[in-house]
């Protein structure tokens, strides 16, 4: 009876062990000293991908990567001497060829006489552990190499970590800082900030880009931008705070420098405006006087007086001088963004007619206008007059042998009008077309000496741009040029309407 | 017929002389001023028109023009504002017309005549 009981209890024990082995989450394998697999539990099947019926009877090298086959000799040697191998971390091979990091514990199997006849092997998949520890070391490396000071502290304000940048920034070593209260680096007059920060952290809130001042070991005050986030444990409980502090003394200095520069530029620009106003007055007053007296002289002379042509020529030059001064002033206004348009509803055909009237004295060219009766658009009358005047002046200037100058105003179907000014002059070299609207650019032509500062088209284009229009040119050497302006009839902030 | 009075406020002597010559044959009575102070003193004579320069040594023609136009006593007097700064002429000054410098004598005459 007793024997029976013993026997059945041994059977029970074996059954129990078998159950443990098969339900274990670790792979459990046994093998002979020659390496032949003798048992293979379900977790081994899951881990390595081979079924029990296949694996049993195979050599253990089935799951050992070729580059690690030498490990087996070491293992067998230890086992043969009756030694256990614990937590041996290595890599094994799956059926699909994939490698898995595992932790092995291997024990010898003895027979009744105490001779080692094989080995039992427990393999635990440590890929998750490995990942976690790798992640941890990556994070540690980031914190360690960060240029920003990274500090963690408990809710009571005790410093629990202190990276290299914190050492550099505040002057305290990690050993000096850890365990100290965070007030170590907070100036007395700013201690209440800590109460506020801890208050926010306790509520689970982040304090981002808080600009403040902290004190280094040597007593210097450092302007910082700090971001403090709650540290939450596995159970979701806030256990402390992590703090990233960035030294902003440089950016504050840059900002100050920028403000200074800005003020300087503002001051210079103001002085420039004053200068322009003064120069305008100073340059135009003598011209006004000259022009006035010359006109009076001209009035008083008989047209047949031999001095009459001198007066006329002088007046023409004075007018030219006035126009050049206007161009120079316009350029400085354009370049400082001060050329203001005075938008009004205007009748463009009469504007062009008025301009043509001022060219009445021209007898070298025929000016021809083709236009509808009237077209109303929004624009700056004086500036558009200037544009038309510039283009007609150019047309005359660049057709030194005379000819027709055809001015067309075309009311297009859409919300825009088109004005073309066509001459029969010397034309423009195609290579120069793209530079035409640049300041100080002049079309050079060795056959003709054409004067000017090269500002007219630059100003013209700027005025057209400000009217949200387009100016373009078509030209053929020796045949003449056609300038084409397209202007929206009405423009407001919403665009063309 | 009574002669019409024109108050000319211009600090440049030569330009005053030119304006004087342009308008002399028009049988206007011309009062010449070189300063804002002079303008204030002569305004009591209620001129029929004022030709006013913007840049004066002791004042700004734009402000003076506004004062004239805001005062019920003087607001009916036509003001012809004169400047070398075309941009300034576009500003709100309530002036009746603008003359830019340098000017064409014929156009100047025409402008003055049309307000008298």
């Amino acid at each position: 009876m007793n024997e029976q009981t013993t026997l059945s209890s041994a059977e029970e024990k074996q059954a129990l062990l078998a159950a443990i082995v098969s339900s274990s989450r670790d792979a459990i394998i046994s093998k002979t000293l020659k390496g032949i697999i003798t048992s293979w539990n379900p977790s081994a099947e899951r881990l390595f991908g081979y079924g029990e019926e296949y694996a049993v009877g195979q050599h253990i090298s089935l799951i050992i990567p070729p580059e690690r086959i030498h490990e087996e000799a070491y293992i067998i040697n230890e086992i043969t001497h009756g030694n256990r191998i614990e937590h041996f971390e290595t890599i094994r091979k799956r059926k699909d060829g994939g490698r898995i990091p595992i932790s092995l514990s291997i024990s010898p199997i003895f027979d009744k006489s105490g001779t080692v006849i094989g080995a039992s092997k427990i393999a635990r998949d440590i890929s998750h552990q490995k990942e976690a520890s790798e992640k941890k070391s990556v994070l540690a490396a980031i914190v360690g190499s960060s240029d920003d000071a990274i500090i963690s502290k408990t809710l009571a304000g005790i410093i629990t970590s202190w990276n290299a940048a914190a050492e550099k920034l505040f002057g305290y070593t990690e050993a000096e800082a850890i365990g100290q209260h965070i007030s170590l680096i907070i100036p007395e007059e700013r201690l209440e900030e800590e109460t506020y920060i801890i208050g926010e952290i306790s509520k689970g809130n982040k304090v981002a880009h808080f600009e403040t001042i902290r004190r280094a070991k040597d007593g210097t005050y450092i302007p910082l931008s700090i971001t403090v986030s709650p540290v939450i444990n596995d159970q979701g409980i806030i256990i402390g705070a992590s703090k990233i502090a960035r030294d902003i003394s440089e950016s504050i200095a840059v900002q100050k420098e920028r403000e200074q520069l800005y003020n300087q530029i503002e001051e210079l620009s103001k002085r420039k405006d004053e200068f322009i106003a003064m120069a305008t007055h100073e340059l135009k007053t003598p011209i006004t006087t000259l022009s006035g007296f010359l006109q009076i002289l001209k009035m008083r002379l008989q047209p047949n007086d031999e001095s009459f042509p001198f007066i006329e020529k002088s007046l023409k030059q004075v007018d030219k001088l006035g126009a050049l001064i206007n161009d120079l002033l316009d350029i400085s206004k354009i370049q400082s963004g001060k050329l203001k348009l005075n938008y009004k509803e205007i009748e463009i055909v009469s504007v062009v007619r008025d301009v043509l009237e001022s060219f009445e004295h021209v007898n070298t060219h025929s000016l021809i206008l083709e236009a509808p009766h009237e077209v109303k658009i929004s624009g700056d009358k004086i500036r558009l007059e200037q544009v038309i005047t510039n283009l007609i002046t150019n047309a005359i200037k660049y057709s030194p042998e005379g000819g027709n100058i055809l001015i067309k105003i075309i009311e297009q179907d859409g919300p825009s009008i088109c004005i073309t000014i066509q001459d029969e002059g010397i034309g423009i070299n195609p290579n120069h077309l793209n530079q035409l609207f640049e300041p100080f650019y002049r079309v050079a032509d060795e056959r003709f000496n054409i004067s000017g500062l090269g500002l007219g088209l630059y100003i013209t284009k700027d005025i057209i741009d400000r009217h949200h229009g387009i100016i373009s040119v078509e030209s053929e050497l020796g045949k003449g040029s056609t300038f084409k302006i397209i202007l929206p009839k009405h423009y407001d902030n919403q665009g063309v309407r | 017929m009574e002669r019409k009075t024109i108050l000319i406020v211009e600090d440049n002597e030569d330009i005053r002389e030119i304006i004087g010559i342009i308008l002399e044959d028009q049988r206007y009575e011309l009062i010449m001023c070189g300063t804002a102070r002079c303008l204030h003193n002569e305004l009591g004579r209620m001129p029929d028109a004022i030709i006013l320069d913007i840049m004066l040594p002791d004042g700004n023609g734009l402000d003076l023009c506004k004062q004239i136009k805001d005062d019920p006593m003087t607001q009916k007097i036509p003001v012809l504002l004169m400047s070398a700064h075309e941009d300034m002429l576009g500003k709100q000054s309530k002036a009746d017309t603008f003359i830019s410098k340098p000017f064409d004598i014929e156009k100047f005459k025409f402008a003055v005549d049309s307000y008298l």
Side-chain angles (χ1 to χ4, degrees):
Chain A
M1 190 66 195
N2 245 355
E3 241 191 338
Q4 189 77 28
T5 318
T6 318
L7 194 83
S8 88
S9 104
E11 270 172 10
E12 264 174 32
K13 208 171 170 184
Q14 207 160 5
L16 186 66
L17 282 173
I20 290 171
V21 169
S22 75
S23 66
S24 168
R25 288 169 73 176
D26 294 331
I28 302 175
I29 302 164
S30 63
K31 60 181 180 189
T32 66
L33 286 179
K34 287 212 168 99
I36 302 302
I37 298 165
T38 50
S39 79
W40 186 264
N41 77 340
S43 281
E45 201 170 322
R46 260 199 312 278
L47 189 60
F48 299 109
Y50 297 102
E52 184 187 3
E53 66 278 13
Y54 178 82
V56 172
Q58 297 283 337
H59 191 265
I60 192 69
S61 61
L62 183 71
I63 57 165
I64 304 177
E67 67 275 13
R68 288 183 179 266
I69 202 77
H70 59 274
E71 288 177 6
E72 186 58 12
Y74 159 75
I75 292 168
I76 294 295
N77 186 43
E78 287 296 303
I79 294 299
T80 313
H81 288 90
N83 297 331
R84 280 169 60 93
I85 297 169
E86 295 204 46
H87 309 304
F88 178 72
E89 290 196 0
T90 183
I91 307 276
R92 287 296 175 257
K93 190 178 75 179
R94 292 170 49 88
K95 187 183 178 185
D96 62 11
R99 307 290 153 110
I100 21 166
I102 56 169
S103 169
L104 285 179
S105 289
I106 307 161
S107 311
I109 301 171
F110 301 95
D111 68 3
K112 277 178 189 157
S113 62
T115 313
V116 178
I117 54 164
S120 78
K121 192 169 184 173
I122 302 175
R124 172 164 293 181
D125 180 358
I126 54 166
S127 39
H128 290 298
Q129 255 171 286
K130 263 247 146 64
E131 256 172 44
S133 88
E134 262 167 32
K135 229 180 191 172
K136 229 180 187 170
S137 45
V138 167
L139 285 176
I142 292 172
V143 170
S145 64
S146 166
D147 280 337
D148 294 334
I150 302 176
I151 301 166
S152 65
K153 62 186 175 187
T154 64
L155 283 182
I158 304 301
I159 298 167
T160 50
S161 80
W162 187 264
N163 76 341
E167 282 192 358
K168 208 174 134 196
L169 187 61
F170 298 110
Y172 295 101
T173 64
E174 190 182 2
E176 283 172 315
I178 289 182
Q180 296 279 338
H181 191 265
I182 191 71
S183 59
L184 183 71
I185 54 165
I186 305 178
E188 291 81 38
E189 65 275 17
R190 289 183 179 266
L191 277 172
E192 75 261 28
E193 284 178 12
E194 183 59 14
T195 319
Y196 160 74
I197 292 170
I198 291 295
E200 287 299 301
I201 293 300
S202 308
K203 282 185 253 168
N205 296 336
K206 183 173 162 178
V207 177
H209 311 300
F210 181 75
E211 294 200 353
T212 182
I213 290 170
R214 291 291 176 260
R215 197 178 47 203
K217 192 179 180 183
D218 63 6
T220 51
Y221 287 80
I222 316 162
L224 295 174
S225 165
I226 63 176
T227 295
V228 190
S229 313
V231 174
I232 299 167
N233 74 1
D234 292 347
Q235 282 85 51
I237 297 164
I238 299 162
I239 51 165
S242 76
K243 184 174 182 169
I244 302 178
R246 173 164 293 181
D247 184 355
I248 52 170
S249 31
E250 216 167 288
S251 67
I252 283 182
V254 167
Q255 203 180 325
K256 263 196 192 145
E257 199 180 31
R258 229 181 254 164
E259 265 167 35
Q260 260 172 10
L261 273 176
Y262 181 80
N263 289 340
Q264 240 173 350
I265 290 167
E266 187 120 289
E267 174 62 30
L268 278 174
S269 151
K270 212 178 108 195
R271 257 192 262 168
K272 188 189 165 197
D273 289 348
E274 283 166 6
F275 173 78
I276 290 171
M278 189 48 72
T280 308
H281 189 252
E282 292 301 311
L283 290 168
K284 283 202 173 171
T285 301
I287 287 178
T288 307
T289 317
L290 256 177
S291 156
F293 284 128
L294 283 170
Q295 288 181 72
I296 290 166
L297 263 179
K298 188 182 160 189
M299 258 176 10
R300 291 184 177 175
L301 283 181
Q302 298 300 319
N304 57 4
D305 191 295
E306 59 178 9
S307 302
F308 194 84
F310 303 155
I311 302 286
E312 280 220 300
K313 279 179 185 170
S314 302
L315 260 175
K316 220 171 158 187
Q317 293 306 315
V318 170
D319 284 348
K320 229 182 198 173
L321 195 55
L324 287 176
I325 290 168
N326 279 339
D327 278 359
L328 282 172
L329 294 171
D330 281 348
I331 289 287
S332 66
K333 278 184 231 157
I334 287 170
Q335 290 181 341
S336 58
K338 297 235 158 62
L339 188 82
K340 299 269 158 29
L341 291 187
N342 188 14
Y343 253 65
K344 274 191 184 130
E345 186 174 82
I346 54 175
E347 203 281 281
I348 191 72
V349 179
S350 67
V351 171
V352 175
R353 274 187 215 285
D354 284 349
V355 172
L356 286 176
E357 243 174 60
S358 68
F359 285 94
E360 260 178 359
H361 63 277
V362 173
N363 46 28
T364 46
H365 299 71
S366 318
L367 274 61
I368 306 152
L369 174 68
E370 276 179 23
H373 182 59
E374 61 164 39
V375 183
K376 284 188 176 136
I377 67 163
S378 299
D380 183 319
K381 182 170 176 278
I382 292 177
R383 290 299 176 186
L384 289 177
E385 274 176 2
Q386 189 181 351
V387 164
I388 305 295
T389 306
N390 268 343
L391 293 175
I392 294 177
T393 308
N394 274 353
I396 293 172
K397 207 157 51 166
Y398 289 98
S399 45
E401 285 162 349
N404 290 329
I405 293 168
L406 177 62
I407 300 112
K408 277 193 213 171
I409 302 174
I410 303 148
E411 193 172 10
Q412 293 179 315
D413 288 339
S416 58
I417 62 155
C418 174
I419 303 172
T420 61
I421 288 135
Q422 186 182 356
D423 66 52
E424 298 169 349
I426 58 176
I428 304 156
N429 186 321
N431 297 335
H432 297 164
L433 281 178
N434 52 349
Q435 291 152 273
L436 210 55
F437 296 102
E438 286 171 15
F440 309 110
Y441 183 77
R442 294 183 52 239
V443 172
D445 194 306
E446 58 279 4
R447 292 170 301 161
F448 308 98
N449 179 24
I450 290 161
S451 69
L453 292 180
L455 296 176
L457 283 180
Y458 175 64
I459 297 169
T460 296
K461 183 175 187 302
D462 188 80
I463 293 170
I464 296 302
D465 284 350
R466 278 165 209 253
H467 279 84
H468 308 278
I470 300 162
I471 183 163
S472 59
V473 60
E474 275 171 32
S475 187
E476 201 181 323
L477 274 176
K479 291 263 171 76
S481 308
T482 305
F483 283 82
K484 182 174 171 187
I485 297 168
I486 294 173
L487 280 176
K489 279 186 194 159
H490 299 285
Y491 188 91
D492 59 22
N493 292 337
Q494 275 76 50
V496 176
R497 65 186 152 82
Chain B
M1 211 181 106
E2 208 182 314
R3 286 173 76 190
K4 298 229 169 165
T5 318
I6 305 171
L7 179 58
I8 296 146
V9 192
E10 160 65 60
D11 65 327
N12 185 291
E13 214 178 305
D14 289 340
I15 298 176
R16 276 207 307 270
E17 192 184 343
I18 292 164
I19 296 173
I21 296 168
I22 299 171
L23 299 176
E24 71 183 350
D25 47 342
Q26 305 266 338
R27 289 190 208 94
Y28 295 130
E29 185 186 343
L30 306 178
I31 309 167
M32 294 291 183
C33 272
T35 60
R37 217 182 77 194
C38 172
L39 164 78
H40 284 299
N41 291 340
E42 302 294 340
L43 206 52
R45 291 167 63 171
M46 293 301 291
D48 296 292
I50 302 170
I51 297 170
L52 177 58
D53 185 34
I54 281 186
M55 263 206 188
L56 293 169
D58 59 343
N60 180 322
L62 288 170
D63 299 336
L64 293 168
C65 176
K66 207 172 164 288
Q67 282 169 28
I68 294 165
K69 288 299 179 182
D70 286 344
D71 185 343
M73 282 286 290
T74 54
Q75 66 184 188
K76 289 226 169 80
I77 305 173
V79 178
L80 293 84
L81 209 53
M82 209 166 40
S83 172
H85 307 262
E86 277 169 48
D87 288 15
M88 280 192 172
L89 295 176
K91 282 189 182 166
Q92 289 282 315
S93 60
K94 301 184 181 174
D96 294 83
T97 194
F98 303 103
I99 298 166
S100 63
K101 288 179 184 173
F103 45 76
D104 178 88
I105 286 182
E106 292 301 323
K107 283 185 186 161
F108 189 96
K109 253 190 206 170
F110 181 78
V112 177
D113 290 344
S114 62
Y115 285 95
L116 285 164

